[in-house]
Amino acid sequence: MTAKVEQKVLEPPTPQHSRATRLKLLKRAIFLLLGSSFVSIGLEIFLVPNAIIDGGVVGISIILSHLSSWPLGIFLFLLNLPFFFLGYKQIGKTFALSTLFSVTLMSIGTTMLHPVPPLTIDPLLAAVFGGIILGVGVGMVIRSGGSLDGTEIIAILVNKKSPFSVGEIVMFFNLFILGSAGFVFGWDHAMYSLIAYYIAFKMIDITIEGFDESKSVWIISERYKDVGEAIIDRLGRGVTYLNGEGGFTGGEKKVIFCVITRLEEAKMKSIVEELDPTAFLAVGNIHDVKGGRFKKRDIH
């Protein structure tokens, strides 16, 4: 009696798969390049000539560059270098390489743009437009899997050994750095720096999440079928029915789950209010949506 042995041969990836991978890497590199370029423009064409700083390593680099008269790009690269190794250990190789690539481009970009005269010498205009351009650039880099500032990595490490959240730690660092700008550049410029930091912070969120922000919706209703069908027919969104159990009554409940855009939230609430005013409705923000049937179908 002989036994039949099956041998599985691993075939090399098809050329089509390799081509898709190369296109994905090229797309990431292009967005990292664009993001780093925007940050360089925001710094050297708007913020730095008007003595306005950003938070994190960028803010420290601007202060050190001002005090030492050394090029800003040198400090941006050297101060971020330790975080490259921390990111490699804590997050992974892809993140570390993307970060190194972005920081190098940013350092080169600020050095090349340093001789270029600023577009405005009005500190308020510089804070507004510099913050917008800087925030868009940082958001593009983060969305492409990289980073231009190492304070988040420090915050993650400190968070593991302290009761403070990552956001609270980052905010503490940045308030200290932005406060230091008052002693170096004057308190007027420190306040302009706060404006630029806030605008950049909001633009980072918009760039990462997009203007068409997605939201998750959870609905508990006795008329779940009517509500679900109305969402499909009138809003053009797919729904999923989940089985639930009431915590107080122990009775079975049907939960409607769906994903909508920010602009559709008001219409969603009106549909639920119209069909079941007593329904439970919860809406939350979603940073990213992929796969499934999220693409909107035609409605009538």
Side-chain angles (χ1 to χ4, degrees):
M1 181 177 181
T2 58
K4 185 178 180 181
V5 179
E6 293 185 1
Q7 185 177 3
K8 186 176 182 181
V9 180
L10 295 177
E11 298 180 356
T14 62
Q16 185 177 1
H17 177 74
S18 301
R19 186 162 54 249
T21 302
R22 286 196 296 268
L23 288 174
K24 190 175 182 180
L25 291 174
L26 179 61
K27 180 181 177 182
R28 172 178 290 180
I30 291 173
F31 275 95
L32 291 174
L33 172 62
L34 290 174
S36 303
S37 301
F38 280 139
V39 172
S40 301
I41 293 170
L43 290 174
E44 287 292 353
I45 304 300
F46 291 95
L47 299 185
V48 174
N50 289 280
I52 299 172
I53 74 169
D54 187 33
V57 173
V58 174
I60 297 174
S61 299
I62 295 174
I63 293 174
L64 292 177
S65 176
H66 174 79
L67 295 175
S68 66
S69 299
W70 286 18
L72 174 62
I74 293 177
F75 290 104
L76 288 173
F77 183 80
L78 293 179
L79 294 182
N80 273 301
L81 203 56
F83 303 115
F84 164 73
F85 296 103
L86 283 175
Y88 185 86
K89 292 181 179 180
Q90 296 293 324
I91 302 177
K93 180 179 178 181
T94 302
F95 170 81
L97 292 177
S98 299
T99 298
L100 180 62
F101 180 67
S102 303
V103 170
T104 302
L105 291 174
M106 178 179 62
S107 302
I108 295 172
T110 53
T111 303
M112 294 176 62
L113 291 172
H114 185 68
V116 179
L119 287 182
T120 178
I121 56 173
D122 186 320
L124 181 58
L125 288 177
V128 172
F129 286 94
I132 291 173
I133 295 173
L134 183 74
V136 170
V138 173
M140 291 175 67
V141 171
I142 293 175
R143 189 163 185 169
S144 301
S147 176
L148 290 171
D149 197 298
T151 51
E152 288 86 358
I153 300 175
I154 292 182
I156 292 172
L157 296 176
V158 175
N159 169 256
K160 295 179 179 179
K161 299 181 180 180
S162 73
F164 302 104
S165 67
V166 173
E168 290 171 340
I169 297 168
V170 171
M171 182 61 68
F172 172 78
F173 284 147
N174 288 332
L175 287 177
F176 176 77
I177 295 166
L178 293 170
S180 302
F183 296 99
V184 178
F185 300 110
W187 293 107
D188 286 349
H189 290 280
M191 287 185 279
Y192 285 125
S193 298
L194 281 172
I195 294 174
Y197 173 74
Y198 176 78
I199 293 173
F201 179 80
K202 301 304 289 186
M203 289 306 300
I204 290 171
D205 282 347
I206 291 174
T207 306
I208 293 174
E209 298 175 3
F211 288 96
D212 200 19
E213 182 182 351
S214 299
K215 291 182 175 289
S216 61
V217 181
W218 304 81
I219 305 167
I220 302 177
S221 170
E222 297 295 332
R223 300 184 59 189
Y224 67 91
K225 276 290 185 184
D226 295 333
V227 174
E229 290 174 1
I231 293 172
I232 295 172
D233 293 335
R234 295 165 58 183
L235 205 57
R237 292 295 181 187
V239 300
T240 300
Y241 298 109
L242 307 175
N243 293 319
E245 181 180 339
F248 289 105
T249 63
E252 293 184 357
K253 300 284 186 180
K254 283 290 186 180
V255 181
I256 303 171
F257 173 77
C258 68
V259 177
I260 60 174
T261 65
R262 177 175 54 86
L263 300 177
E264 296 166 336
E265 182 178 354
K267 188 172 182 179
M268 166 68 74
K269 290 179 178 178
S270 67
I271 291 174
V272 176
E273 177 70 21
E274 175 188 333
L275 295 176
D276 187 0
T278 63
F280 172 82
L281 173 67
V283 181
N285 293 327
I286 296 180
H287 291 290
D288 199 7
V289 178
K290 292 182 179 179
R293 298 183 179 181
F294 180 66
K295 186 176 179 180
K296 186 165 181 168
R297 49 167 288 211
D298 294 333
I299 58 176
H300 56 275

